[in-house]
């Protein structure tokens, strides 16, 4: 068993100091002007697949990965008119991945419930009061059911939908941002464990509206944060290593991105620092692109025929942007380990050429090592395997705990003292990685965790 754990940990741990590198661009033809993309395992084989929203053909397409960085087969499914944004989650709690889709050409949204074999057991369109462009999933109530927020197309309305745990939703509340909504970002901005929302307004003077989760399944009324330039998209992540969520803004008109540092109360400090990217930065995502343990940024430049990568320094600053060709009109992207080498790859959708373009990392293999506890640092993770709750104990004060899935995606971040616990009851069975950092960052330990249900 020890040998098993060590071999698994070798896949995850280690540090890498290498120049950013991607292999030749590979493309897969679609149709219908794809507007967005997401990744998850839709056919239950443990390998990442891709889903695209095809805006002009009222459909989504699934591309099934084979684990080598190739997507060999695909299937297309009907949605409501004008699918635009996607949100992946298990909406009916059957252990299979489902999709929620916004619909810009109709007043509603579409729910596709996955069957675990690469198809959907049902597809249903649900009406709301206005066409929807934006969608985000999260657990906004205490019932542990996935919920949704919808952003209106060419309007300022935000709809909060409470999930029933059966793949259906009920309208709980509507909020108004005061300007046209360009993106919705959900994260815990004040450290109270409740998801909050950040919404940029496409209006003058430009602002970001923050809606704080109250723990009751609802949000506070929006609080406006002034910014200097109109924002087309927001992404969140920890850019300065303080374990607080920050925001990265795409300024489509000025061809720049800038960041606001969170202070842990739901407020942000506008640093005034911006970085030049390409023409019309329309979408961004955060990930550790160069495998150095720091948060980086990937940006789709709609009119420059490329994407920009900004490597994070973990100080609140980034290196200058590096550009890579990514089709004619890159409009959205997602990240994942598509060829199983534990290095971050990119999948970019081209709105005009109707394609998915893959950039597979060609970083050299990292130098891997198992982190051994030093004499004055003792960490226990128990029980392991576990089906519900995992306890973490250390003789030193714990500064942070991260939980990753086998794809390298961050699932949970916690801050506590010398003893804490993680609730993993809603996670599917499988392999995970717990990363524990002690105060002062003197000791970082990584422990593989097996989720194994009791039934």
């Amino acid at each position: 068993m020890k040998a098993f754990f060590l071999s698994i940990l070798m896949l995850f741990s280690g540090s890498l100091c290498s120049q950013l590198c991607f292999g030749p661009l590979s493309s897969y033809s679609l149709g219908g002007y794809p507007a967005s993309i997401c990744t998850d395992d839709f056919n239950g084989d443990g390998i990442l697949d891709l889903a695209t929203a095809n805006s002009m053909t009222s459909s989504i397409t699934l591309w099934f990965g084979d684990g080598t960085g190739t997507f060999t087969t695909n299937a297309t499914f009907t949605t409501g008119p004008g699918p635009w944004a996607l949100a992946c989650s298990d909406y009916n709690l059957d252990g299979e991945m489902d999709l929620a889709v916004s619909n810009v050409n109709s007043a509603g949204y579409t729910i596709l419930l996955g069957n675990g074999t690469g198809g959907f057991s049902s597809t249903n369109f649900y009406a709301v009061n206005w066409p929807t462009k934006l969608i985000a999933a999260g657990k906004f109530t205490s019932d542990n059911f996935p919920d949704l927020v919808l952003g209106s197309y060419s309007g300022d309305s935000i709809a909060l939908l409470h999930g029933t745990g059966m793949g259906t939703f009920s309208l709980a509340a509507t909020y108004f941002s005061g300007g046209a909504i360009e993106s919705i970002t959900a994260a815990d901005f004040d450290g109270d464990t409740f998801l909050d929302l950040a919404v940029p307004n496409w209006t003058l003077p430009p602002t970001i509206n923050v809606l704080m989760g109250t723990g009751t399944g609802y949000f506070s009324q929006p609080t406006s944060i002034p910014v200097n330039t109109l924002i087309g998209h927001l992404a969140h992540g920890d850019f300065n290593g303080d374990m607080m969520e920050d925001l990265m803004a795409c300024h489509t008109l000025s061809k720049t991105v800038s960041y606001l540092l969170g202070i842990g109360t739901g407020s942000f400090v506008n640093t005034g620092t911006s970085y030049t990217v390409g023409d019309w930065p329309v979408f961004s995502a955060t990930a550790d692109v160069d495998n150095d343990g720091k948060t980086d940024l990937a940006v789709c430049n709609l009119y420059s025929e490329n994407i920009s990568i900004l490597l994070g320094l973990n100080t609140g600053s980034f290196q200058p942007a590096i550009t890579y060709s990514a089709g004619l009109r890159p409009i959205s992207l997602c990240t994942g380990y598509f060829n199983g080498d534990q290095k971050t790859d990119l999948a970019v959708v081209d709105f005009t050429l109707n394609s998915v373009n893959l950039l597979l990392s060609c970083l050299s293999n990292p130098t891997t090592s198992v982190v051994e506890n030093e004499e004055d640092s003792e960490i226990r993770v128990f029980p392991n395997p576990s089906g519900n709750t995992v306890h973490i104990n250390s003789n030193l004060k714990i500064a942070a705990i991260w939980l990753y899935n086998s794809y390298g995606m961050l699932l949970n971040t916690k801050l506590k003292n010398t003893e804490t616990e993680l609730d993993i009851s809603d996670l599917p069975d499988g392999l995970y990685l717990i990363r524990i950092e002690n105060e002062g960052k003197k000791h970082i330990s990584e422990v593989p965790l097996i989720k194994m249900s009791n039934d």
Side-chain angles (χ1 to χ4, degrees), residues 358-379:
L358 288 182
L359 289 161
L360 298 180
S361 175
C362 57
L363 286 169
S364 58
N365 289 325
T367 301
T368 56
S369 60
V370 176
V371 180
E372 298 287 352
N373 293 334
E374 298 186 24
E375 184 176 351
D376 58 348
S377 176
E378 296 180 1
I379 291 177

Side-chain angles (χ1 to χ4, degrees), residues 112-145:
L112 299 95
L113 298 179
N115 60 15
T117 61
F120 296 96
S121 59
S122 68
T123 300
N124 294 290
F125 177 82
Y126 299 97
V128 292
N129 293 330
W130 19 259
T132 58
K133 180 180 180 181
L134 309 170
I135 194 165
K139 294 178 180 177
F140 303 119
T141 64
S142 60
D143 60 12
N144 214 32
F145 300 155

Side-chain angles (χ1 to χ4, degrees), residues 5 161 175 195 227 289 357 364:
F5 278 120
L161 306 175
Y175 303 88
L195 284 178
V227 292
V289 180
N357 301 313
S364 58

Side-chain angles (χ1 to χ4, degrees), residues 37-119:
I37 188 169
C38 69
T39 183
D40 216 296
D41 178 14
F42 294 105
N43 59 356
D45 62 359
I47 299 171
L48 281 180
D49 309 310
L50 299 173
T52 60
N54 309 316
S55 62
M56 295 299 291
T57 55
S58 298
S59 65
I60 62 104
T61 297
L62 296 184
W63 292 85
F64 303 115
D66 65 1
T68 69
T70 300
F71 295 83
T72 55
T73 59
N74 68 82
T76 299
F77 304 88
T78 300
T79 68
W84 194 264
L86 300 171
C88 303
S89 191
D90 180 9
Y91 297 118
N92 59 349
L93 306 181
D94 64 350
E96 313 298 349
M97 192 53 53
D98 310 314
L99 279 174
V101 189
S102 66
N103 296 111
V104 296
N105 292 338
S106 58
Y109 62 98
T110 304
I111 300 294
L112 299 95
L113 298 179
N115 60 15
T117 61

Side-chain angles (χ1 to χ4, degrees), residues 12 36 63 67 102 115 120 129 138 159 163 175 195 281 292 313 342 346 355 360 428 436 449:
F12 287 100
S36 62
W63 292 85
S102 66
N115 60 15
F120 296 96
N129 293 330
Y175 303 88
L195 284 178
D292 66 351
L313 302 176
Q342 308 305 311
L346 305 176
S355 63
L360 298 180
I436 306 133
L449 169 69

Side-chain angles (χ1 to χ4, degrees), residues 162-451:
H162 286 168
T164 64
M166 297 181 289
T168 57
F169 299 83
S170 61
L171 179 63
T174 301
Y175 303 88
F176 301 96
S177 67
I181 303 169
E182 291 299 313
S183 74
I184 294 178
T185 300
D188 180 9
F189 297 125
D190 60 355
D192 64 357
T193 73
F194 305 130
L195 284 178
D196 313 307
L197 300 179
V199 182
N201 285 342
W202 191 265
T203 185
L204 293 175
T207 60
I208 297 173
N209 278 329
V210 178
L211 295 81
M212 305 305 300
T214 63
T216 64
Y218 296 90
F219 298 101
S220 64
Q221 290 302 312
T223 300
S224 293
I225 300 173
V227 292
N228 300 326
T229 311
L230 289 168
I231 296 173
H233 191 267
L234 275 179
H236 69 87
D238 179 13
F239 305 135
N240 59 352
D242 63 357
M243 303 301 151
M244 300 176 190
E245 291 288 345
D246 309 311
L247 292 174
M248 180 65 75
C250 290
H251 304 291
T252 50
L253 298 180
S254 62
K255 306 177 185 180
T256 60
V257 296
S258 67
Y259 60 92
L260 297 87
L261 296 179
I263 62 175
T265 64
S267 297
F268 297 85
V269 176
N270 191 344
T271 65
T273 302
S274 63
Y275 297 87
T276 300
V277 289
D279 192 359
W280 206 269
V282 69
F283 184 87
S284 61
T286 54
D288 182 8
V289 180
D290 59 349
N291 287 18
D292 66 351
K294 303 170 186 176
T295 302
D296 309 312
L297 185 73
V299 182
C300 288
N301 304 309
L302 187 65
Y303 297 134
S304 295
E305 305 179 11
N306 59 25
I307 62 170
S308 296
I309 305 293
L310 293 88
L311 299 179
L313 302 176
N314 207 38
T315 61
S317 299
F318 293 80
Q319 296 182 28
I322 307 169
T323 59
Y324 294 89
S325 296
L328 183 63
R329 292 290 182 265
I331 193 171
S332 180
L333 63 82
C334 63
T335 65
Y337 300 152
F338 298 132
N339 57 356
D341 62 0
Q342 308 305 311
K343 304 169 192 173
T344 301
D345 309 309
L346 305 176
V348 187
V349 284
D350 187 323
F351 186 75
T352 300
L353 295 184
N354 298 316
S355 63
V356 174
N357 301 313
L358 288 182
L359 289 161
L360 298 180
S361 175
C362 57
L363 286 169
S364 58
N365 289 325
T367 301
T368 56
S369 60
V370 176
V371 180
E372 298 287 352
N373 293 334
E374 298 186 24
E375 184 176 351
D376 58 348
S377 176
E378 296 180 1
I379 291 177
R380 293 179 62 225
V381 176
F382 60 95
N384 190 4
S386 176
N388 295 298
T389 301
V390 177
H391 299 273
I392 301 167
N393 180 266
S394 173
N395 63 322
L396 299 179
K397 184 176 180 181
I398 295 175
I401 298 170
W402 298 274
L403 178 65
Y404 298 85
N405 67 12
S406 60
Y407 304 136
M409 298 177 182
L410 180 63
L411 303 177
N412 194 316
T413 302
K414 290 191 71 109
L415 302 174
K416 215 62 185 281
N417 292 322
T418 58
E419 186 172 0
T420 188
E421 61 183 36
L422 290 175
D423 181 5
I424 61 170
S425 59
D426 61 334
L427 296 177
D429 287 359
L431 179 69
Y432 298 87
L433 180 79
I434 296 177
R435 189 172 190 228
I436 306 133
E437 181 179 287
N438 291 118
E439 193 173 59
K441 301 184 180 181
K442 295 181 180 179
H443 305 289
I444 297 178
S445 299
E446 295 174 321
V447 180
L449 169 69
I450 295 178
K451 164 64 186 301

